[in-house]
Amino acid sequence: MRGAPTHPGEGRRALAMLRFAPDGATIGHELVDPDSPQLTVLDLAATRGDGIFETISIGSGHPQALDPHLRRFASSAAMLDLPAPDLAAWSAAVRAVAGELGAIAEGFVKIVLSRGIEGDDLPTGWAFAAPSPDFTAARTEGIRIVLLDRGYRHDVARTSPWLLAGAKTLSYAVNRAAYREADRRDADDALFVSSDGYLLEGPSSTLILRRGAHLCTPRTDLGILAGTTQLDLFRYAQDGGLTTSYDLLTADDLLTADAAWLVSSVRHAAPVRGVDGAPLPVDRDLTDAFNDFLRARTG
Amino acid sequence: MRGAPTHPGEGRRALAMLRFAPDGATIGHELVDPDSPQLTVLDLAATRGDGIFETISIGSGHPQALDPHLRRFASSAAMLDLPAPDLAAWSAAVRAVAGELGAIAEGFVKIVLSRGIEGDDLPTGWAFAAPSPDFTAARTEGIRIVLLDRGYRHDVARTSPWLLAGAKTLSYAVNRAAYREADRRDADDALFVSSDGYLLEGPSSTLILRRGAHLCTPRTDLGILAGTTQLDLFRYAQDGGLTTSYDLLTADDLLTADAAWLVSSVRHAAPVRGVDGAPLPVDRDLTDAFNDFLRARTG
């Protein structure tokens, strides 16, 4: 969530804590003050990053791509052996906090499920809503990225599931370190590459390349997240006559692409204008079309 | 921290929250109720696992190996570009909560420094003390372990520092998944191996092998933690006439060792009695000597 800060007073923030019965069933949610402490220092979210999350964009009051986000939430929970989230209860919590945002053009809801307090056998969960930062610059001027080794081979999700590659976990210290490394190299964002040379994903985004009238993105069996925004954009592009595919891609594919984007739920489509200092062409028209489409989604 | 639970009422728990001035200077600590919420859902410890920790054992009231732990805490902070911790203030917090534990044989203090609330530019920190679980079985009967691929090459700390290999971060979801994988394979613990075949460390322990009158442990430049307990044991062993070294080790070295241990601050020395289902000899005398020494440390 890197962007210019929102203006003070622009939009409200809201927090709903999920409530669980002693048997683990989800009772519902309760709206509470987002600035008051809600977690003990024994919560495994805070001590072990042992939980999962999703971030859902809110466009003019509508949660966008909510069902794919909730499906991915459930998939991450399964990968971490967490109790299966009650998606109806989570959906209600998302809508409740989104409804508290007031009349803003763009916001987001972050949902988090942690394993809870160690020894308690009950999860902790919450949904937090806030206005989105202003990503106009990234969406229009584009971003300069660096390629960073993620350390893992491309097949690690298959060989070593305990590494949780492809789960959206709270253990994101490395993703944040990648942003700091990008800063150090005078770039705006990073793209992870497998230790055997395949393009993966950004710390919180999905890569899309254009070559002529064809869009492609890294295969989702490489230990990366299946992109919800990328999926919506592929459907939109197919409706517009473009073809799409999931491929094994290398740095050469990126450097010779006609255009490239890092896409994500809240920043939407950020055109890549530079890779490791080398310029990349920006497709302004398609970028604008992408972002107009993403902003206008009502589901 | 896997062991039999302590008896109810045996020892107290205590929590000190570190307090920081607006300029980031550490003011001191404040004792608070460990069961009351202290963290907001916006703390980067809980949302990104973006922070560091250490766990210090308390033996008969004495924090053990406190200085090495604090030095490693500072080293982890530097690797994550966190503000350098005020070690005198942290030391005072450790002693304060340890003093609240009451007269127990073994306890521990966990110290945590997170990047704080996103956008606030002030860290969050705490020291939590509790009685230790009962690790008698692991220390005497030994543990069965499985070797698990960590996915990273042995040289990743040098090539890719943004992966934070060798920092003790709050992003430990993978470490906990490794324990669950060990459970699935009917084992008690795991030992990570680099993707190119070198023995690394346990999810929260350091490996020591014995071959004759020589002890060895994996080199600390492999993206692993420099073990505080291992360091104390090497000094103890040298005083007893054993030689010691830091080496590149493989599974063969483990399987042909005369004895092996996973050592850590709270569980102390757990002899390895099985590796991936193959039995390993347990050196009962040296194990007992190790644990007697570790328990008796007064600093």
Side-chain angles (χ1 to χ4, degrees), chain B residues 85-160:
Chain B
D86 176 338
L87 297 187
W90 282 94
S91 177
V94 167
R95 293 177 194 284
V97 292
E100 296 288 311
L101 279 179
I104 55 167
E106 296 185 42
F108 69 90
V109 175
K110 182 170 186 170
I111 56 175
V112 176
L113 175 65
S114 107
R115 205 175 302 275
I117 293 175
E118 191 152 12
D120 263 14
D121 246 5
L122 271 187
T124 308
W126 66 89
F128 170 77
S132 296
D134 180 356
F135 286 115
T136 306
R139 291 175 188 167
T140 54
E141 296 161 30
I143 55 176
R144 299 154 305 158
I145 69 172
V146 290
L147 302 183
L148 294 182
D149 175 22
R150 177 172 270 174
Y152 294 149
R153 288 184 319 272
H154 77 284
D155 60 349
V156 80
R158 185 172 52 76
T159 64
S160 314

Side-chain angles (χ1 to χ4, degrees), chain A residues 119-241:
Chain A
D120 263 14
D121 245 6
L122 270 187
T124 307
W126 65 89
F128 170 76
S132 295
D134 181 355
F135 286 115
T136 306
R139 291 175 188 167
T140 54
E141 295 161 29
I143 56 175
R144 299 155 304 157
I145 70 172
V146 290
L147 302 183
L148 294 183
D149 175 22
R150 177 172 270 174
Y152 294 148
R153 288 183 321 269
H154 78 284
D155 61 348
V156 80
R158 185 171 53 75
T159 63
S160 314
W162 52 87
L163 299 177
L164 306 178
K168 200 165 173 76
T169 81
L170 301 178
S171 286
Y172 257 38
V174 165
N175 299 49
R176 288 178 55 90
Y179 283 134
R180 293 195 299 277
E181 180 69 18
D183 276 343
R184 249 175 233 126
R185 300 187 190 184
D186 194 29
D188 308 301
D189 208 331
L191 178 66
F192 286 123
V193 181
S194 71
S195 60
D196 46 359
Y198 297 105
L199 304 180
L200 298 174
E201 62 190 348
S204 63
S205 60
T206 309
L207 176 70
I208 295 179
L209 303 185
R210 180 176 74 76
R211 192 175 298 279
H214 183 78
L215 299 183
C216 60
T217 192
R219 274 172 21 194
T220 53
D221 63 346
L222 307 181
I224 64 176
L225 291 174
T228 55
T229 308
Q230 165 266 317
L231 187 66
D232 273 353
L233 284 175
F234 269 26
R235 285 183 188 140
Y236 168 77
Q238 287 160 4
D239 288 346

Side-chain angles (χ1 to χ4, degrees), chain B residues 23-24 33 35 39 43 76 109 129 138 142-143 149 175 178 181 194 209 214 235 237 240 258 260 267 281-282:
Chain B
D23 68 354
D33 174 4
D35 291 312
L39 307 175
D43 197 289
S76 293
V109 175
I143 55 176
D149 175 22
N175 299 50
E181 181 68 19
S194 71
L209 302 185
H214 184 76
R235 285 185 187 139
D258 293 326
R267 192 175 63 183
V282 167

